[in-house]
Amino acid sequence: MEQVENSFDVAIIGGGINGSSIAYQLAKMGRKVIIIEKERLACQASSAAAGMLAAQAEIEQDGPLFQLALKSQAMFSTLSSELFEYSGIDIEFVNKGMLKIAETEEIAAEVKKQVSYQRNWDPTIKWLDGKVLREMEPSLAPSVVGGMYLPNDGHVQPAKLTQAFAHAAVYFGAEIRENTEVLSFIFEDGQVKGVKTTNGVIHSEQVVVATGAWAAKLMRESGLDISVYPVKGECFSVRTEEPIINTTIFSDKRCYLVPKRNGEIYIGATMLENTFDNKVTPEGIASLIERATKLVPQIKEAAWERVWSGFRPQTGDGIPYIGEHPKWKKLFVAAGHFRNGILLSPITGKIVADLLAGRRQDEALLAAFHLERHKETVG
């Protein structure tokens, strides 16, 4: 039997959006990288997301997470062509803006405050009253009071983005092993030396845990409790013969409508904490249909396409974990991106690759993401 090469510079656990982005950046540096995925690439949250790049619609307060999101959002235009060159995959980057709508006067007052605040970073953001909104998007319900127009918030196809990162990493020499689960770490002399998997031992100089909502379970084996837990989201999509919306519609009432290039409209998403039960429920989809049709009544007449669910990786304080293990050297974590995994994937890949390469970092910015911020080290 042919001997499989099992020695690498970096082993990345998790073939989702962030694991694949990290692999791409490291492989471009010339590092020998392997992605280890217990199922298939992009099979969990990375394929379940709607792909919104909503830095300013989703994150409403300034701080390290917001600043990271702005930097990452700005990378997508160049990244789209770059990944196509190396992977041949079109990530379907669409940059037609977003409308964060207000359905009541009370919500309108809050959104107007957000407009004033967000213009500090993007002067093109503006408040539009209901009449102007419906001139832009005639399908919006008459009940919509107004909304914040964010011309620079776009979206991508998340599964294709993940695949593009991974295949571009392969272009630069990375290896991918699917259907391979990591069981434990190999530690020696105060640092990680590799991992034990269902398909044998993999030796590596550095290891990155990028397993999303499953990160806490694996990190416990290293003696560290990190507050990462799943938040289930159910979604559905419809298809129309002619486009009925052109921009992404985002409502504070846990509903968004994202018009994709292939004619589908993605509609989501429910939120249910602390469960890995992936079933899609009639109750969840019914609640989304009710919200969506109140915003865009024509959705009732669209052709039904499909339903799905996924697990967002949330943290106790809503901030991802990005950094090196406090006890075991050369073991790194990038997990807990919640609703912003797609948006933050380019900058996460760059930051983690630079950390592993020992490149200079913005220490003040990264301090917010460190692994010990909850002081939960155990063992």
Side-chain angles (χ1 to χ4, degrees):
M1 187 182 223
E2 185 180 350
Q3 181 66 37
V4 178
E5 175 58 58
N6 278 323
S7 294
F8 298 86
D9 296 330
V10 185
I12 297 170
I13 309 171
I17 188 71
N18 284 303
S20 298
S21 176
I22 294 163
Y24 169 61
Q25 294 293 343
L26 286 167
K28 274 204 304 181
M29 292 179 181
R31 307 295 300 280
K32 187 179 180 183
V33 179
I34 183 170
I35 299 173
I36 309 166
E37 167 55 46
K38 68 178 181 179
E39 296 180 46
R40 303 177 317 282
L41 286 175
C43 68
Q44 295 292 345
S46 300
S47 61
M52 292 184 292
L53 309 177
Q56 289 166 293
E58 290 242 39
I59 306 171
E60 298 173 359
Q61 293 183 338
D62 190 18
L65 181 60
F66 181 64
Q67 293 303 320
L68 214 62
L70 289 179
K71 289 180 181 181
S72 200
Q73 186 186 57
M75 297 171 70
F76 273 91
S77 181
T78 300
L79 187 67
S80 176
S81 55
E82 185 179 305
L83 289 178
F84 184 76
E85 178 183 353
Y86 298 132
S87 72
I89 297 173
D90 181 2
I91 67 172
E92 298 187 22
F93 174 56
V94 176
N95 198 24
K96 293 185 178 181
M98 173 181 286
L99 293 170
K100 185 171 185 177
I101 62 164
E103 299 172 70
T104 66
E105 292 293 348
E106 183 180 3
I107 296 174
E110 289 301 315
V111 176
K112 286 178 182 178
K113 290 178 184 177
Q114 292 173 29
V115 170
S116 177
Y117 177 69
Q118 296 288 3
R119 284 176 61 85
N120 291 321
W121 291 274
D122 185 351
T124 65
I125 291 174
K126 54 188 175 181
W127 168 262
L128 302 177
D129 64 27
K131 180 181 178 183
V132 175
L133 273 188
R134 280 179 285 277
E135 288 173 357
M136 179 185 293
E137 292 288 357
S139 295
L140 277 174
S143 58
V144 174
V145 173
M148 174 168 58
Y149 176 48
L150 303 110
N152 295 315
D153 275 12
H155 58 88
V156 295
Q157 281 282 11
K160 289 187 175 182
L161 177 60
T162 306
Q163 294 284 350
F165 275 133
H167 284 82
V170 170
Y171 174 89
F172 286 104
E175 183 177 329
I176 299 170
R177 288 197 198 163
E178 297 179 306
N179 302 308
T180 300
E181 183 175 1
V182 171
L183 303 174
S184 63
F185 301 104
I186 300 170
F187 295 120
E188 185 180 321
D189 298 328
Q191 65 186 52
V192 72
K193 291 289 187 177
V195 293
K196 295 178 181 178
T197 80
T198 50
N199 290 316
V201 171
I202 294 174
H203 301 282
S204 63
E205 295 177 7
Q206 296 168 310
V207 174
V208 181
V209 176
T211 51
W214 289 264
K217 179 182 178 182
L218 189 57
M219 290 311 295
R220 270 193 169 276
E221 197 269 335
S222 75
L224 183 69
D225 263 341
I226 56 174
S227 175
V228 180
Y229 60 92
V231 179
K232 176 183 172 181
E234 298 160 285
C235 303
F236 74 97
S237 72
V238 297
R239 189 181 295 273
T240 58
E241 291 185 10
E242 298 293 332
I244 60 173
I245 56 173
N246 294 302
T247 54
T248 296
I249 309 298
F250 183 94
S251 167
D252 272 343
K253 293 185 176 180
R254 293 184 182 175
C255 185
Y256 54 73
L257 298 89
V258 186
K260 294 298 181 178
R261 198 188 293 174
N262 67 354
E264 277 187 277
I265 300 175
Y266 287 13
I267 299 168
T270 61
M271 293 179 67
L272 183 62
E273 296 185 355
N274 292 303
T275 179
F276 281 112
D277 182 351
N278 66 359
K279 70 174 177 284
V280 178
T281 64
E283 180 183 17
I285 297 303
S287 69
L288 291 175
I289 292 172
E290 181 182 7
R291 295 173 203 159
T293 54
K294 281 184 178 179
L295 300 176
V296 180
Q298 280 182 262
I299 292 293
K300 294 177 182 178
E301 302 165 17
W304 186 266
E305 193 71 14
R306 59 196 178 101
V307 299
W308 66 94
S309 69
F311 306 104
R312 313 171 187 90
Q314 177 60 305
T315 65
D317 58 6
I319 304 291
Y321 290 101
I322 303 174
E324 189 173 14
H325 196 289
K327 178 181 178 182
W328 300 108
K329 297 299 181 185
K330 300 189 178 182
L331 174 58
F332 296 81
V333 177
H337 291 66
F338 193 43
R339 294 169 63 104
N340 299 298
I342 308 303
L343 168 63
L344 293 172
S345 60
I347 197 70
T348 298
K350 185 71 168 58
I351 286 173
V352 175
D354 285 347
L355 277 173
L356 269 66
R359 294 180 176 178
R360 191 170 182 177
Q361 297 287 325
D362 184 341
E363 297 296 339
L365 181 65
L366 284 183
F369 305 95
H370 73 88
L371 274 58
E372 272 194 303
R373 61 182 185 265
H374 297 119
K375 296 183 180 180
E376 295 174 337
T377 306
V378 298

Short mmCIF file of all heavy atoms in Angstrom, two decimals, residues 194-229:
data_model
loop_
_atom_site.label_atom_id
_atom_site.label_comp_id
_atom_site.label_asym_id
_atom_site.label_seq_id
_atom_site.Cartn_x
_atom_site.Cartn_y
_atom_site.Cartn_z
N GLY A 194 0.97 17.96 16.02
CA GLY A 194 0.14 17.33 15.01
C GLY A 194 -1.18 16.90 15.61
O GLY A 194 -1.56 17.32 16.72
N VAL A 195 -1.89 16.03 14.87
CA VAL A 195 -3.20 15.56 15.32
C VAL A 195 -3.38 14.08 15.00
O VAL A 195 -2.78 13.55 14.06
CB VAL A 195 -4.35 16.36 14.65
CG1 VAL A 195 -4.35 17.81 15.11
CG2 VAL A 195 -4.26 16.29 13.12
N LYS A 196 -4.20 13.42 15.82
CA LYS A 196 -4.61 12.06 15.55
C LYS A 196 -5.99 12.11 14.91
O LYS A 196 -6.90 12.79 15.40
CB LYS A 196 -4.66 11.25 16.84
CG LYS A 196 -3.30 11.06 17.49
CD LYS A 196 -3.41 10.29 18.80
CE LYS A 196 -2.05 10.14 19.47
NZ LYS A 196 -2.15 9.44 20.78
N THR A 197 -6.17 11.40 13.81
CA THR A 197 -7.43 11.43 13.08
C THR A 197 -7.97 10.02 12.88
O THR A 197 -7.30 9.02 13.20
CB THR A 197 -7.26 12.09 11.69
OG1 THR A 197 -6.69 11.12 10.77
CG2 THR A 197 -6.35 13.30 11.76
N THR A 198 -9.17 9.95 12.35
CA THR A 198 -9.78 8.65 12.04
C THR A 198 -9.05 7.94 10.91
O THR A 198 -9.28 6.76 10.67
CB THR A 198 -11.26 8.85 11.64
OG1 THR A 198 -11.34 9.87 10.63
CG2 THR A 198 -12.10 9.24 12.85
N ASN A 199 -8.17 8.66 10.22
CA ASN A 199 -7.37 8.07 9.14
C ASN A 199 -5.88 8.17 9.42
O ASN A 199 -5.08 8.30 8.50
CB ASN A 199 -7.71 8.73 7.80
CG ASN A 199 -9.11 8.37 7.32
OD1 ASN A 199 -9.50 7.21 7.40
ND2 ASN A 199 -9.85 9.35 6.85
N GLY A 200 -5.52 8.14 10.71
CA GLY A 200 -4.11 8.12 11.05
C GLY A 200 -3.59 9.42 11.62
O GLY A 200 -4.33 10.39 11.80
N VAL A 201 -2.30 9.44 11.90
CA VAL A 201 -1.65 10.60 12.50
C VAL A 201 -1.16 11.55 11.42
O VAL A 201 -0.63 11.12 10.39
CB VAL A 201 -0.46 10.14 13.38
CG1 VAL A 201 0.36 11.34 13.84
CG2 VAL A 201 -0.96 9.35 14.57
N ILE A 202 -1.36 12.84 11.67
CA ILE A 202 -0.83 13.88 10.79
C ILE A 202 0.10 14.75 11.62
O ILE A 202 -0.30 15.34 12.63
CB ILE A 202 -1.96 14.73 10.16
CG1 ILE A 202 -2.79 13.86 9.22
CG2 ILE A 202 -1.39 15.94 9.43
CD1 ILE A 202 -4.02 14.54 8.66
N HIS A 203 1.36 14.83 11.21
CA HIS A 203 2.34 15.63 11.90
C HIS A 203 2.39 17.03 11.28
O HIS A 203 2.32 17.17 10.05
CB HIS A 203 3.73 14.99 11.79
CG HIS A 203 3.78 13.61 12.36
ND1 HIS A 203 3.86 13.36 13.71
CD2 HIS A 203 3.75 12.39 11.74
CE1 HIS A 203 3.88 12.05 13.92
NE2 HIS A 203 3.82 11.43 12.74
N SER A 204 2.51 18.04 12.12
CA SER A 204 2.60 19.40 11.60
C SER A 204 3.31 20.29 12.61
O SER A 204 3.27 20.04 13.81
CB SER A 204 1.22 19.98 11.28
OG SER A 204 0.44 20.06 12.47
N GLU A 205 3.92 21.34 12.10
CA GLU A 205 4.60 22.30 12.96
C GLU A 205 3.61 23.22 13.67
O GLU A 205 3.87 23.70 14.77
CB GLU A 205 5.58 23.13 12.13
CG GLU A 205 6.72 22.32 11.54
CD GLU A 205 7.63 23.17 10.67
OE1 GLU A 205 7.44 24.41 10.64
OE2 GLU A 205 8.52 22.60 10.01
N GLN A 206 2.47 23.47 13.03
CA GLN A 206 1.43 24.33 13.59
C GLN A 206 0.07 23.73 13.27
O GLN A 206 -0.09 23.02 12.26
CB GLN A 206 1.53 25.75 13.02
CG GLN A 206 2.83 26.47 13.38
CD GLN A 206 3.01 27.74 12.57
OE1 GLN A 206 2.88 27.76 11.35
NE2 GLN A 206 3.33 28.84 13.26
N VAL A 207 -0.92 24.02 14.12
CA VAL A 207 -2.29 23.54 13.92
C VAL A 207 -3.24 24.70 14.12
O VAL A 207 -3.07 25.52 15.05
CB VAL A 207 -2.63 22.40 14.91
CG1 VAL A 207 -4.11 22.02 14.81
CG2 VAL A 207 -1.75 21.19 14.67
N VAL A 208 -4.25 24.79 13.26
CA VAL A 208 -5.30 25.80 13.39
C VAL A 208 -6.64 25.11 13.52
O VAL A 208 -7.00 24.26 12.70
CB VAL A 208 -5.34 26.74 12.16
CG1 VAL A 208 -6.43 27.80 12.34
CG2 VAL A 208 -3.99 27.41 11.94
N VAL A 209 -7.38 25.46 14.56
CA VAL A 209 -8.74 24.94 14.75
C VAL A 209 -9.72 25.95 14.18
O VAL A 209 -9.84 27.08 14.67
CB VAL A 209 -9.04 24.70 16.24
CG1 VAL A 209 -10.49 24.27 16.44
CG2 VAL A 209 -8.09 23.66 16.82
N ALA A 210 -10.42 25.55 13.12
CA ALA A 210 -11.40 26.43 12.46
C ALA A 210 -12.66 25.62 12.21
O ALA A 210 -13.12 25.48 11.07
CB ALA A 210 -10.83 26.98 11.16
N THR A 211 -13.22 25.09 13.29
CA THR A 211 -14.35 24.15 13.18
C THR A 211 -15.69 24.77 13.57
O THR A 211 -16.63 24.06 13.91
CB THR A 211 -14.08 22.90 14.04
OG1 THR A 211 -13.72 23.30 15.37
CG2 THR A 211 -12.96 22.07 13.46
N GLY A 212 -15.76 26.10 13.55
CA GLY A 212 -17.04 26.76 13.75
C GLY A 212 -17.70 26.42 15.06
O GLY A 212 -17.10 26.46 16.13
N ALA A 213 -18.97 26.03 14.98
CA ALA A 213 -19.77 25.75 16.18
C ALA A 213 -19.28 24.54 16.95
O ALA A 213 -19.68 24.32 18.09
CB ALA A 213 -21.24 25.55 15.77
N TRP A 214 -18.39 23.73 16.35
CA TRP A 214 -17.86 22.54 17.00
C TRP A 214 -16.50 22.80 17.68
O TRP A 214 -15.89 21.90 18.22
CB TRP A 214 -17.70 21.42 15.98
CG TRP A 214 -19.01 20.84 15.52
CD1 TRP A 214 -19.64 19.72 15.99
CD2 TRP A 214 -19.86 21.36 14.49
NE1 TRP A 214 -20.82 19.52 15.33
CE2 TRP A 214 -20.99 20.50 14.39
CE3 TRP A 214 -19.79 22.45 13.63
CZ2 TRP A 214 -22.02 20.72 13.49
CZ3 TRP A 214 -20.81 22.68 12.73
CH2 TRP A 214 -21.91 21.82 12.67
N ALA A 215 -16.03 24.05 17.65
CA ALA A 215 -14.68 24.35 18.14
C ALA A 215 -14.53 24.10 19.63
O ALA A 215 -13.48 23.64 20.09
CB ALA A 215 -14.31 25.80 17.81
N ALA A 216 -15.56 24.39 20.42
CA ALA A 216 -15.44 24.27 21.88
C ALA A 216 -15.15 22.83 22.28
O ALA A 216 -14.33 22.57 23.19
CB ALA A 216 -16.72 24.76 22.55
N LYS A 217 -15.80 21.88 21.64
CA LYS A 217 -15.60 20.47 21.98
C LYS A 217 -14.15 20.05 21.77
O LYS A 217 -13.54 19.41 22.63
CB LYS A 217 -16.53 19.59 21.12
CG LYS A 217 -16.39 18.11 21.39
CD LYS A 217 -17.30 17.30 20.49
CE LYS A 217 -17.11 15.80 20.72
NZ LYS A 217 -17.96 14.99 19.81
N LEU A 218 -13.58 20.42 20.65
CA LEU A 218 -12.21 20.04 20.35
C LEU A 218 -11.22 20.76 21.26
O LEU A 218 -10.23 20.18 21.72
CB LEU A 218 -11.89 20.32 18.89
CG LEU A 218 -10.56 19.79 18.36
CD1 LEU A 218 -10.45 18.28 18.56
CD2 LEU A 218 -10.40 20.15 16.88
N MET A 219 -11.49 22.02 21.55
CA MET A 219 -10.56 22.79 22.38
C MET A 219 -10.56 22.31 23.83
O MET A 219 -9.57 22.48 24.53
CB MET A 219 -10.89 24.27 22.32
CG MET A 219 -10.58 24.91 20.96
SD MET A 219 -8.91 24.51 20.36
CE MET A 219 -7.91 25.32 21.60
N ARG A 220 -11.64 21.72 24.29
CA ARG A 220 -11.66 21.16 25.65
C ARG A 220 -10.56 20.10 25.81
O ARG A 220 -9.98 19.94 26.88
CB ARG A 220 -13.02 20.54 25.95
CG ARG A 220 -14.01 21.52 26.56
CD ARG A 220 -15.22 20.79 27.12
NE ARG A 220 -16.01 21.70 27.92
CZ ARG A 220 -15.79 21.97 29.19
NH1 ARG A 220 -14.76 21.41 29.81
NH2 ARG A 220 -16.55 22.81 29.86
N GLU A 221 -10.30 19.38 24.72
CA GLU A 221 -9.28 18.34 24.75
C GLU A 221 -7.89 18.94 24.98
O GLU A 221 -6.97 18.26 25.44
CB GLU A 221 -9.33 17.55 23.44
CG GLU A 221 -8.63 16.20 23.47
CD GLU A 221 -7.18 16.30 23.04
OE1 GLU A 221 -6.84 17.23 22.29
OE2 GLU A 221 -6.38 15.45 23.48
N SER A 222 -7.76 20.24 24.68
CA SER A 222 -6.48 20.93 24.88
C SER A 222 -6.41 21.61 26.24
O SER A 222 -5.42 22.27 26.56
CB SER A 222 -6.28 21.98 23.79
OG SER A 222 -7.11 23.11 24.02
N GLY A 223 -7.48 21.48 27.04
CA GLY A 223 -7.50 22.11 28.36
C GLY A 223 -8.00 23.53 28.35
O GLY A 223 -7.75 24.28 29.30
N LEU A 224 -8.72 23.93 27.30
CA LEU A 224 -9.22 25.30 27.23
C LEU A 224 -10.71 25.31 26.94
O LEU A 224 -11.16 24.68 25.97
CB LEU A 224 -8.49 26.08 26.13
CG LEU A 224 -8.86 27.55 25.98
CD1 LEU A 224 -8.36 28.36 27.18
CD2 LEU A 224 -8.29 28.13 24.70
N ASP A 225 -11.46 26.00 27.78
CA ASP A 225 -12.89 26.21 27.52
C ASP A 225 -13.05 27.53 26.79
O ASP A 225 -12.68 28.59 27.32
CB ASP A 225 -13.67 26.27 28.84
CG ASP A 225 -14.31 24.95 29.19
OD1 ASP A 225 -14.47 24.12 28.28
OD2 ASP A 225 -14.64 24.74 30.37
N ILE A 226 -13.59 27.47 25.58
CA ILE A 226 -13.96 28.70 24.89
C ILE A 226 -15.47 28.69 24.70
O ILE A 226 -16.07 27.64 24.47
CB ILE A 226 -13.24 28.87 23.54
CG1 ILE A 226 -13.47 27.68 22.61
CG2 ILE A 226 -11.75 29.13 23.75
CD1 ILE A 226 -12.89 27.87 21.22
N SER A 227 -16.07 29.83 24.84
CA SER A 227 -17.53 29.93 24.82
C SER A 227 -18.04 30.02 23.39
O SER A 227 -18.42 31.08 22.90
CB SER A 227 -17.97 31.18 25.61
OG SER A 227 -19.36 31.35 25.52
N VAL A 228 -18.03 28.88 22.69
CA VAL A 228 -18.58 28.81 21.34
C VAL A 228 -19.74 27.82 21.36
O VAL A 228 -19.58 26.69 21.83
CB VAL A 228 -17.53 28.34 20.30
CG1 VAL A 228 -18.17 28.29 18.90
CG2 VAL A 228 -16.34 29.28 20.27
N TYR A 229 -20.88 28.25 20.87
CA TYR A 229 -22.05 27.37 20.86
C TYR A 229 -22.86 27.58 19.59
O TYR A 229 -22.79 28.65 18.96
CB TYR A 229 -22.91 27.62 22.11
CG TYR A 229 -23.44 29.04 22.24
CD1 TYR A 229 -24.68 29.39 21.72
CD2 TYR A 229 -22.70 30.02 22.90
CE1 TYR A 229 -25.17 30.68 21.84
CE2 TYR A 229 -23.18 31.31 23.03
CZ TYR A 229 -24.42 31.63 22.49
OH TYR A 229 -24.90 32.92 22.61
#
